[in-house]
Amino acid sequence: MIRERGKVSIVGAGPGDPELITLKAIRAIENAEVVLYDYLVNKELLGYCKPDCQIVYVGKKNKQHTYPQEEINKMLIEFGLSGKKIARLKGGDPFVFGRGAEEILGLQEHDIEFEVIPGITAGVAVPGAAGIPVTLRNVASSVAFFTGHQCENHKTEIQWDKIAAGIDTLVFYMGVAQAPRIVRNLMANGRKPETPVAMIRWGTLPEQEVMKGTLENIVAKMEQHDFKPPAIFIVGEVVAYSEQLSPLINQMAKTEI
Ligand code: SAH
């Protein structure tokens, strides 16, 4: 029997709530012979796997260490060359701080077929589920997404002077450990200390926690509550509007700290 050629679907699994995934993503999981999934992918989604699907966890190896990206790339290539149908499940959207492009480069080098299935990214969905709109008429007409963890590459260093003054809503992924630096840089470059901010942990999930404050006091609040990742840090006047919107949106139970 001639096997069909392998194919890798790079799949966005959404921000956490297992219903916030696309139909296309579910279909890719259902058809997969191998699923590789990350730390932030909701494990309930593995319920869509075929009974004989090979499920591989490539998230945190133990407390601190994550799988090296090269190792994941290698695994994808090996599975791809074996002719299998693979779903590579990634939290949120694969191309938003998700290293999806790096994985595709490896596949292309080996002529392995792939597709990209976009997902709902945490930077929009997590504030949204907490009643914070990332843009708002007459309040915020621009939004930008940043990573708190930057590579040692000056080309991609955040230009704090430009963003502090030039963008209405700033959304930081992976910003918990770096919050003191982020806040310092924004204030040093002219963003007002009283700017409203929110840290949202495990957004869209029942364990969601929302901590609101200002640029000036959020770090002290985080220390006081021993606030831990994963969280989205959102900075801008839109945060103040959530008071009006969240009762209307009436999302799942959330703890406000
Ligand atoms: N590709 C993903 C982002 C990967 S980076 C996406 O598009 O959403 C991982 C970071 O995303 C976490 O450190 C955190 O900052 C954020 N994140 C992902 N899911 C989250 C959630 N449910 N609640 C809060 N932050 C989340």
Side-chain angles (χ1 to χ4, degrees):
M1 190 183 86
I2 303 170
R3 262 197 83 88
E4 259 184 75
R5 280 192 60 198
K7 179 170 174 180
V8 180
S9 303
I10 308 279
V11 182
D17 179 340
E19 292 193 45
L20 291 176
I21 185 166
T22 63
L23 292 175
K24 201 163 189 171
I26 290 175
R27 223 156 276 152
I29 303 172
E30 284 171 343
N31 288 330
E33 296 166 282
V34 184
V35 165
L36 287 90
Y37 73 102
D38 281 341
Y39 169 58
L40 287 173
V41 169
N42 193 317
K43 313 228 176 349
E44 266 186 48
L45 296 172
L46 301 174
Y48 291 107
C49 292
K50 287 186 210 176
D52 58 347
C53 176
Q54 184 178 348
I55 299 174
V56 186
Y57 177 62
V58 293
K60 295 198 173 178
K61 261 188 180 167
N62 50 43
K63 264 192 193 143
Q64 255 100 45
H65 298 283
T66 45
Y67 257 86
Q69 187 64 43
E70 302 73 51
E71 217 171 293
I72 299 175
N73 296 354
K74 233 173 84 189
M75 270 196 236
L76 275 178
I77 291 165
E78 275 166 21
F79 281 123
L81 290 174
S82 75
K84 296 208 162 118
K85 286 197 171 41
I86 299 134
R88 169 71 177 109
L89 276 187
K90 300 170 90 67
D93 180 272
F95 285 165
V96 182
F97 307 125
R99 308 189 75 167
E102 288 161 66
E103 296 179 4
I104 287 172
L105 284 179
L107 298 173
Q108 277 180 324
E109 274 169 28
H110 290 81
D111 237 358
I112 297 165
E113 198 187 334
F114 67 89
E115 66 176 342
V116 178
I117 302 180
I120 301 177
T121 191
V124 176
V126 167
I132 303 174
V134 292
T135 68
L136 192 61
R137 209 171 151 83
N138 297 327
V139 174
S141 55
S142 59
V143 56
F145 303 99
F146 305 91
T147 167
H149 286 181
Q150 282 184 79
C151 306
E152 305 296 309
N153 174 356
H154 293 295
K155 261 200 222 158
T156 58
E157 171 64 33
I158 292 175
Q159 298 186 37
W160 295 100
D161 54 332
K162 302 213 169 72
I163 69 152
I167 292 163
D168 297 326
T169 306
L170 301 99
V171 177
F172 292 87
Y173 292 70
M174 298 169 275
V176 173
Q178 295 295 323
R181 188 175 63 93
I182 295 169
V183 161
R184 211 173 38 242
N185 279 317
L186 289 176
M187 290 196 291
N189 286 284
R191 199 76 174 209
K192 287 200 193 103
E194 58 273 22
T195 305
V197 305
M199 272 280 177
I200 309 161
R201 177 167 194 259
W202 289 125
T204 78
L205 289 158
E207 52 269 53
Q208 171 174 300
E209 281 177 359
V210 182
M211 175 181 273
K212 288 192 189 147
T214 61
L215 268 185
E216 200 171 30
N217 69 18
I218 194 75
V219 171
K221 272 184 127 178
M222 286 169 70
E223 278 165 12
Q224 193 188 338
H225 292 275
D226 194 22
F227 194 89
K228 293 251 172 2
I232 285 289
F233 182 39
I234 175 164
V235 176
E237 293 304 322
V238 288
V239 174
Y241 285 82
S242 60
E243 309 300 334
Q244 284 158 258
L245 291 177
S246 38
L248 299 173
I249 289 180
N250 192 21
Q251 285 292 331
M252 63 182 77
K254 47 179 168 267
T255 321
E256 219 165 288
I257 313 170

